Amino acid sequence: MKLGFFTMPIHPLDKDWRQSLQEDREAFLLADELGFSEAYVGEHVTDKAENITSCIAFLAWIAAATKQIKLGTGTVNMPNVHPATVAATIAMLDHMLDGRLIFGISPGGLLSDAELFGTLDRDRNAMFLEAINQVLQIWASEPPYNIEGQFWNITTQKTQMADIGQGIIARPLQRPHPPIVVTAVAPFSKGVTEAAARGWDPISANFLMPMWVKSHWPKYVEGCERVGRTVDFNNWRVAKSVFVANDMATAKAYATDPDSPYVYYYRSLFTKLKRNGRIELFKTRRDQPDDEVTLESVCDKLIIYGTPDSVADQILALQDEVGPFGALLYAGKDWRDRELGRRSMILMAEQVMPRIAAGPR
């Protein structure tokens, strides 16, 4: 099992934006120093708490400061951006990273973003599919482009001057393109099947109950088998909220106190999902009444915390429950206490992962 990092950071609304961005940057640089294999960052335009507005811009900011870690968009919300813009900026970012880019994509889940971009009442899944198909077609075809769709038309036929390079969109360094991943947030996700059939890989979200995370593997296998693709659990990434401390008292307080950044994180998600009618993501069974789903039950099920020994045991238990997966993505949270936040990542890499590799005690 590899160790990665995934953050859709949820910061206090009154926190200085410069400080939260610097701390998010520091977490990525620390992950690189500690040998994390990959790291992803999300994006939202209309969320003061989830205040990274462009994952591409953020990764460009840290590209030259990292050495070995693969960096991923987590995710580019495809309906919100013109496909040609995505194709061009992702290609440039892949070159900036010398081929260390992973291309994470999704339809986008924040409804206020959808309203902002005029897609609230449109078929965003259809827009997502058209957008990624057009991006891949741009990279695979020769200019001048003539790509027609339901939502976007792409051409440089009238204005191309190939002798001086005008009208040409650059391709990524990795060929035919960077690895593509999708974040799976729904139980028994059909999107996982379709992604696997296209050669893409899933990330199971850290706000999904373990029994629903488990449901993603058969859907992945289904997609691979449909096209004769080799089934490999190393291609499955599972994100999880984890906090590690030297002693259990510190770990419990930082992960579960009412002012904990972990509780704050899930309080924000709980509020959004409940108001948007998607509380089922936090249920432990399909027929569970809505009023049985509480913030306390969510935090109890979804936050792993403790000493290195305890956390390793809990992750091994998670693996037993959902099945083997290739990478555990440590889910980043606000650094309410910078030293404890850093220390948790260090303990995770240096003490927890070796214990997991050694297996159950």
Side-chain angles (χ1 to χ4, degrees), residues 31-38 66-71 100:
D32 185 41
E33 293 171 12
L34 292 170
F36 283 56
S37 62
E38 56 195 36
T66 58
K67 296 179 175 62
Q68 59 83 30
I69 197 168
K70 295 180 180 180
L71 297 177
R100 288 188 286 123

Side-chain angles (χ1 to χ4, degrees), residues 223-243:
C224 289
E225 291 180 343
R226 184 202 299 171
V227 297
R229 182 184 176 192
T230 300
V231 176
D232 186 353
F233 71 83
N234 288 304
N235 294 328
W236 184 23
R237 299 157 172 89
V238 174
K240 198 68 183 174
S241 295
V242 180
F243 180 72

Side-chain angles (χ1 to χ4, degrees), residues 62-340:
I62 67 174
T66 58
K67 296 179 175 62
Q68 59 83 30
I69 197 168
K70 295 180 180 180
L71 297 177
T73 56
T75 57
V76 175
N77 299 322
M78 301 295 287
N80 301 348
V81 191
H82 194 287
T85 299
V86 175
T89 53
I90 287 293
M92 182 176 73
L93 184 58
D94 194 36
H95 282 263
M96 293 169 72
L97 284 165
D98 197 25
R100 288 188 286 123
L101 179 64
I102 301 174
F103 185 21
I105 57 176
S106 79
L110 189 65
L111 294 185
S112 55
D113 277 3
E115 180 181 4
L116 180 75
F117 291 108
T119 63
L120 187 60
D121 299 319
R122 304 184 79 178
D123 187 342
R124 292 191 299 281
N125 286 326
M127 296 183 73
F128 161 76
L129 288 173
E130 179 173 305
I132 185 57
N133 286 339
Q134 290 185 338
V135 168
L136 296 176
Q137 189 172 349
I138 288 171
W139 289 338
S141 59
E142 296 294 331
Y145 313 100
N146 185 21
I147 304 171
E148 296 185 355
Q150 178 183 355
F151 305 103
W152 297 279
N153 295 319
I154 298 168
T155 181
T156 57
Q157 287 183 316
K158 294 181 180 179
T159 56
Q160 179 176 332
M161 290 186 282
D163 57 326
I164 61 169
Q166 179 172 305
I168 299 171
I169 298 175
R171 292 186 173 97
L173 181 62
Q174 300 177 82
R175 298 297 176 89
H177 54 73
I180 295 177
V181 299
V182 296
T183 302
V185 300
F188 304 98
S189 171
K190 294 180 181 178
V192 170
T193 302
E194 298 307 314
R198 297 191 64 162
W200 309 341
D201 296 321
I203 297 174
S204 296
N206 62 291
F207 46 86
L208 201 58
M209 291 294 172
M211 64 283 297
W212 307 135
V213 172
K214 182 178 181 178
S215 75
H216 290 165
W217 179 248
K219 305 304 289 185
Y220 176 75
V221 171
E222 179 185 336
C224 289
E225 291 180 343
R226 184 202 299 171
V227 297
R229 182 184 176 192
T230 300
V231 176
D232 186 353
F233 71 83
N234 288 304
N235 294 328
W236 184 23
R237 299 157 172 89
V238 174
K240 198 68 183 174
S241 295
V242 180
F243 180 72
V244 197
N246 291 319
D247 63 273
M248 182 59 78
T250 299
K252 183 177 181 180
Y254 195 75
T256 68
D257 279 357
D259 63 345
S260 155
Y262 287 72
V263 174
Y264 177 76
Y265 177 93
Y266 281 107
R267 183 183 297 114
S268 177
L269 287 179
F270 182 81
T271 301
K272 289 175 182 174
L273 292 173
K274 187 173 183 179
R275 291 183 184 176
N276 292 335
R278 299 194 67 194
I279 198 68
E280 74 277 357
L281 296 184
F282 286 143
K283 292 184 177 183
T284 56
R285 63 182 194 276
R286 282 284 177 87
D287 61 350
Q288 185 177 16
D290 289 359
D291 58 8
E292 283 188 8
V293 184
T294 65
L295 176 62
E296 291 74 19
S297 68
V298 168
C299 291
D300 181 62
K301 293 286 187 182
L302 295 182
I303 302 173
I304 289 177
Y305 66 87
T307 62
D309 279 336
S310 173
V311 168
D313 288 343
Q314 292 174 72
I315 293 172
L316 287 168
L318 172 69
Q319 191 177 43
D320 285 342
E321 181 176 358
V322 306
F325 48 88
L328 177 77
L329 302 186
Y330 179 106
K333 303 291 186 289
D334 178 73
W335 280 0
R336 184 173 63 85
D337 185 312
R338 177 179 177 276
E339 290 308 313
L340 287 179

